[in-house]
Amino acid sequence: MAANKTARVAFVLKRWYQVGRTEALCASRCHIGGRPEAALSTRAEWEAVVGLEIHAQVHSASKLFSSAAVTFLAPPNSCVALFDAALPGTMPIKDIIEDDALIFIKVRLVHVTAPSGLNKMIDPMVLNRRCVEAVVLTGLALGCRINRRSYFDRKHYFYADMPAGYQITQQRVPVAERGVLRVPGEWHGRERNLGITCVQLEQDSGKSLHDAAEGLTLVDLNRAGVGLMEVVTEPELTSGAEAAAAVQELQLILRTLGTCQGIMAEGHLRVDANVSIRKPGQPLGVRTEVKNLNSLRWLSRAVDFEIRRQIGLLETGGQIVNETRSFDVKLGKTIPMRDKEAKQDYRFMPEPNLPSLVLMGDDERPMNQRQNRQGLVSVSALRALLPELPASRRSRLIRNHDLRPDLVTTLVKEDGLMEYFEEVIEVGKQDPKIVINWVMNDLLGVLNECGLSVSQSPIKPRVLAELINLQIDGIISSSVAKKVFTMMWKDNEVRSPVKIVAESGWSIICDPVQLEAACIDVIAKHPKQVELVRSGHAKVLNKFVGQVQKLLDGRGDPAQVKRILENKLLPQTGDGHCS
Amino acid sequence: MTNSGERQILRKMAARRVVLDGISPHTKIGFTINQAAAALREGTLTPVELCERCLAQAQRWELLNAFVTVTADSALQQARAAERRFKLGRPLSKLDGIPFATKDNYCTAGIRTTCASNMLRGFVPPYTATVVQRLLDRGAVLVGKTNMDEFAMGSGSTDGVFGPVKNPWSYSLQRRLASRGNVVEKLANDAPESRPMEDLGDWCISGGSSGGSAAATAVGACLFALGSDTGGSTRNPAAHCGLVGLKPTAGLLPRHGLIPLVNSMDVPGIFVSSAPDAAILLGAMAGHDDKDSTAVQDPPPSFELLEEPNVHDLIVGIPQEYHAPGLQPDVLKAWTRTADLLEMAGARVMSVSLPHTLYSIVCYHVLCAVEVASNMACYDGIEYGHRSNVGSFTEEQYAATRHEAFNHVVRGRILAGNYFLLRKNRARFYKKAQQVRRLILEDFRRVFDTGVDLMLTPTTLSDAPTSKEFSAEDYCLRSAQHDVFTTPANMAGEARWWHDEVK
């Protein structure tokens, strides 16, 4: 019976490795201390201390120490090299092969213009080198010190989706240490510096699927051995929102570098949060670790929940246990993880099958032919390749264009939006404040509505610049400009704005006779409102402006219309004359 | 108690250097690779004949328990292919058509690879170890996989799941004469190649952990064999079985496909009956391997030996610490005699000191246990190997699987290794052992810096003990005695990376 069951499941799921009965996922076993809601009121007395461990999958074609492919949504266990399944006698391959280090930058450019062609750019021969370059680039972007020589270690724990019984990571000396992440503040807030402890290179694990109905755990090793960069931050955050902002900024940096695709929903970026609380000035409290948060929203909610839970626990006389918890999305609560309850001792030891990882320093040349042949990754070559990073982009935009920080943050955050904005400015030489309104409100609005990326916009920067120029030059009114924009969007920008305005006869009406006629018409139709305006309710005047524009299809010169209406409706002052 | 007639026969046999039945100089088989290769080249012997002859020896000596798997069919197939190449006058190399065996801890595609453990009973690897592949690529014929201690943990080849390997010399004419009293005539008339060996009751151990490879080579079931050497596992059985056993420098032969015991000390080992053969094999297997990043990067030098070796300007060191307690007078005599021979041949023999040899066994035990604990972690019964039916949760299943399939030696080392690696113990045991390892390396470095070219040492304290003697000692003592001369070289081996750790 049991054998049948196994075979059937294995068949349905192609080639899952089957483990045994289920690791009961403990959704029902939630355990919450205190009364979190009640605790909120006393929160001010407590100070939360939050540090993050962010696992970012290296964007590479194959795994860190094997030649198996890295693909999302491949059939289970279809991308597994012998080493990934820890077959006895297999060894990690550290295959540093000559290749141009420009690859990341290429990937980035390709990403902007044609996301679908991405994989074709990657030569499957240069994998491990790519992982090393990724972690060095990321370390440099975070202002870390890059270690000329770093080491790999084994971290031991038994888990069904980790076939070797250990993970190869960098515990003693990581590739990069001691950096800073510049996190933009909310709204007009200033940037904050978050300390980065280290960036290290390690292996990802496989995935376990717990099938409660069949009582089975199924294992997929496609992800086992994929290169991960673990970014560890200092415990300097104080809330879920701050944690989410930090991860978002890191995500942006990784995407800018092209070292990680950074799509949290696909598991490229997973966060563990270490949370503790204390009274200000006191030593650090006992911390808990919330594992595997793979969305910014859940990260924020999980951290806040955990802070409230700990406060509640301490205020009701409870004690915090150093434990690993997971965040239950449905319950909105963190719950202890059954299999990680016991405090782990990872029994680290140096990885004896890998020599140390040697990089070429800033002022070095290959020491000998062998080093040259091995093609050591050169730190200075990578430093030279660093693109402009989000923080410098933001300060440059604020400095050059005098823009609001929150707008700049969004501008830099959206992939390709800053480049779009700058091209509009470049072409049109217009007021950045007007351009940014167009880009942020109109363009981004419809892009989001249609689920398109900036690069997919049917309206190119050059065309938008033309449209904005028509408005600035007073050829069309702002409301007509919006109409033209919508029309171009719908038509996929077949006609230029000038042509649309000309063909539709939408240019602005400046003829005073025509405008006055419209004004008189509106005034005649609204005698009551005329009384109101004359009796001092000046604001009603705007309604007249709106009515006149309606009559004129929004084409009336707004300044003239307003002046005419004022002349006609408001009591004449001083030496005012009416023509 | 032999009479004068028997003594006469024995003397004659000793004079003719008869070693073991079936491989006397009277047989047509060349005894060494060089001789066999010459015979194959001249056509006085064909690869199929040679292979059949080896397979017959394997069968005849079945009681030694040297093989876990004999691959007769595929061996004959390979031999026939070699024969075709010889007919065309295009042998692949000097090794073409030469039968060999490998220890059962080398992965061989399509042939079960057990490490003499229940954990891997029935495990058929989908790939072949680099060194084995290099031999096959040169035309060598694989006749089988040899017995060993479970996961190579042991020094007697008595701790495998397939039972102990018996030393062929237990069945030498001399011992059989001794055990049978005066039936000299009968023995003299034994048709040596027609009858399987009979058991004599007590036997000598073959040494370990590569005892199967040693025994198989000694009886001519193959002309050479691969073993592995972590703390003496090749040199020790070679010494006990009267062979040349070579532990190459760490990194010279790639380890990819050798199921690891202690990664930082494991090296593939070579069993042959002459030093020039060892050189041929070293040349055939050495060199860079993409799949082992700890192997040498540069192309290896040529290993061909001169016909008439010249030791004239060599400086030979005799480490004084190797006059260890328990050293058998016979061994000491042989050691002294060899030193004298070298000196007479023109070498300079001098006394040197390796003061930390004393600590090598205890240091080895800590480091070995630590890596064993780590390397054995992959045997969880999920992807391959034994899986227990006991346990309803994954962790229970792991525990049951590992308890059922590992023997007590393996379990003991796993337990000890994990203990040494615990956060609270690391500095006391593991770090300390690494520091001692560094000192052992420094010992060697210092001696070689004084201009010493090589060191002459015994391999074991005594000749092969009987199984009774061997099993009377407790395990730790066994190892402490038998590995004392061999472990330091492994410890000094891969220190090029380990050395960074201590800094």
Side-chain angles (χ1 to χ4, degrees), chain A residues 86-92 154 166 351-353, chain B residues 103-107 113 115 120 127 148 150-153 228 230 255-267 368 371-379 384 406 410 413:
Chain A
L87 252 73
T90 55
M91 299 171 78
R154 292 182 178 180
Y166 55 81
E351 167 56 67
N353 286 335
Chain B
K103 192 177 180 178
D104 211 19
N105 58 352
Y106 285 92
C107 284
T113 298
C115 281
L120 287 179
Y127 77 105
M148 56 189 283
E150 180 161 334
F151 282 103
M153 296 183 211
S228 59
T230 308
R255 289 185 289 123
H256 169 74
L258 168 61
I259 297 178
L261 170 62
V262 183
N263 305 282
S264 65
M265 300 189 210
D266 291 343
V267 294
C368 175
E371 286 202 39
V372 163
S374 176
N375 287 333
M376 298 293 134
C378 65
Y379 302 108
Y384 50 84
F406 286 137
V410 178
R413 290 202 196 176

Side-chain angles (χ1 to χ4, degrees), chain B residues 282-298:
Chain B
L282 202 56
M285 294 188 288
H288 172 71
D289 178 17
D290 281 343
K291 292 173 181 135
D292 176 0
S293 51
T294 65
V296 285
Q297 300 287 323
D298 298 319

Side-chain angles (χ1 to χ4, degrees), chain B residues 452-465:
Chain B
V452 168
D453 295 299
L454 59 94
M455 275 182 265
L456 180 70
T457 77
T459 306
T460 55
L461 289 162
S462 67
D463 58 359

Side-chain angles (χ1 to χ4, degrees), chain B residues 150-202:
Chain B
E150 180 161 334
F151 282 103
M153 296 183 211
S155 57
S157 297
T158 53
D159 283 332
V161 74
F162 301 108
V165 179
K166 297 169 185 173
N167 193 319
W169 294 90
S170 316
Y171 306 91
S172 67
L173 201 48
Q174 290 90 332
R175 268 182 61 99
R176 277 155 64 211
L177 282 170
S179 76
R180 290 213 188 167
N182 54 3
V183 274
V184 186
E185 286 305 307
K186 188 176 174 295
L187 280 172
N189 291 334
D190 266 354
E193 289 158 45
S194 61
R195 197 188 301 172
M197 275 298 148
E198 286 166 31
D199 206 340
L200 294 177
D202 197 18

Side-chain angles (χ1 to χ4, degrees), chain A residues 1-10 18 21 214-216, chain B residues 389:
Chain A
M1 180 65 194
N4 284 345
K5 205 188 262 183
T6 309
R8 189 158 51 81
V9 172
Q18 180 251 318
R21 305 265 197 82
E214 297 274 357
L216 294 172
Chain B
N389 291 321

